[in-house]
Amino acid sequence: YKGHSYMVGALARMNLAKDRLHPKTIASAASALKQFPSTDIFNNNLAQAIEVLHSLDRSIEILTTTTFKPEPIIKVPYKTGTGVGVIEAPRGTLYHKVTIDDKGIVTAGEIVVPTGQNQINIEEDVYTLVNGLLPDPATTKEKIEFEIEKLIRAYDPCMSCGSHFLKVSWDKAK
C-alpha cells in the first residue's frame, strides 16, 4: 500500500481498535492488552484469543438483551449483476467480487484473501529472520526452516498455505 507492506488480521485490528472491545473483555484481558500495539507477529495468536473472548462477551450480551421475532422470507427475483464486497474475516480483510446471471448462477468471481495481502509482509519478515540467523555458525538449516515455519504460521495463513508454503533450496558455499 503506497509503496509499503501492510498486515491484516487480529494483530492489526488489536493495534488499531483494542479500545473498542467489549467492556468485559477489556477488564478480563487487561494485562494481555498491555502488549498492544505490537509489531511482533507472534502476538497475533494472543490478539486472536482476545478477539474470541470479545466475541463471546458480545454474543452473551446480544442473546440476553435482544428479543427475537420470526421474520417472513422475502423472495427476491434474480437479475443479472455484479457486486463487490468487503468483510472483516478472522484472518483479515476479505475483498470479493461476484457476477450472477438472471437465474442466480454465479458466472464470475474474484477474491483477495488476507493471506495474499499479508504476503509481502511475510516475505519481509522471513528475510529479516533469516539474515538474523545466518551469522551464527551454530545455526543449522533445520533450525532456519523451523523458525521460518513458526513465523509464517504466526500469520495464521489459510490451511493450504500453512501446510505447503515452504520449499527451501540450499546452496553450500565453497
Side-chain angles (χ1 to χ4, degrees), residues 154-174:
Y155 275 90
D156 190 24
C158 63
M159 194 64 101
S160 178
C161 294
S163 302
H164 304 103
F165 63 86
L166 190 61
K167 292 179 180 47
V168 179
S169 296
W170 294 95
D171 290 331
K172 292 185 180 185
K174 295 181 181 182

Side-chain angles (χ1 to χ4, degrees), residues 4-170:
H4 300 281
S5 63
Y6 65 95
M7 181 187 171
V8 297
L11 181 60
R13 288 189 297 267
M14 200 61 56
N15 286 341
L16 294 171
K18 72 177 186 177
D19 59 319
R20 297 177 66 193
L21 294 167
H22 192 278
K24 281 188 174 183
T25 307
I26 292 173
S28 299
S31 62
L33 287 168
K34 292 176 185 173
Q35 296 288 323
F36 305 99
S38 171
T39 57
D40 182 353
I41 187 57
F42 293 105
N43 280 328
N44 191 44
N45 292 132
L46 177 59
Q48 291 172 320
I50 293 168
E51 287 189 335
V52 169
L53 181 59
H54 164 78
S55 296
L56 292 170
D57 287 336
R58 182 71 178 116
S59 296
I60 291 167
E61 178 184 28
I62 291 169
L63 291 170
T64 58
T65 61
T66 304
T67 303
F68 297 96
K69 298 182 276 184
E71 296 179 9
I73 296 173
I74 300 171
K75 191 90 167 153
V76 178
Y78 297 118
K79 64 180 183 179
T80 302
T82 299
V84 177
V86 179
I87 187 166
E88 193 60 29
R91 286 193 171 95
T93 312
L94 174 69
Y95 297 91
H96 55 280
K97 176 180 173 183
V98 177
T99 301
I100 62 169
D101 65 16
D102 60 355
K103 295 176 184 68
I105 306 227
V106 174
T107 58
E110 296 177 58
I111 58 171
V112 180
V113 297
T115 302
Q117 294 174 71
N118 287 334
Q119 185 67 36
I120 294 171
N121 212 47
I122 292 169
E123 290 174 10
E124 289 173 349
D125 282 355
V126 168
Y127 177 84
T128 301
L129 173 72
V130 171
N131 279 316
L133 293 170
L134 284 176
D136 181 356
T139 300
T140 64
K141 68 179 184 177
E142 290 78 14
K143 172 152 175 85
I144 292 172
E145 289 175 354
F146 180 70
E147 294 301 322
I148 292 171
E149 287 179 0
K150 284 191 335 190
L151 175 76
I152 292 172
R153 289 197 175 107
Y155 275 90
D156 190 24
C158 63
M159 194 64 101
S160 178
C161 294
S163 302
H164 304 103
F165 63 86
L166 190 61
K167 292 179 180 47
V168 179
S169 296
W170 294 95

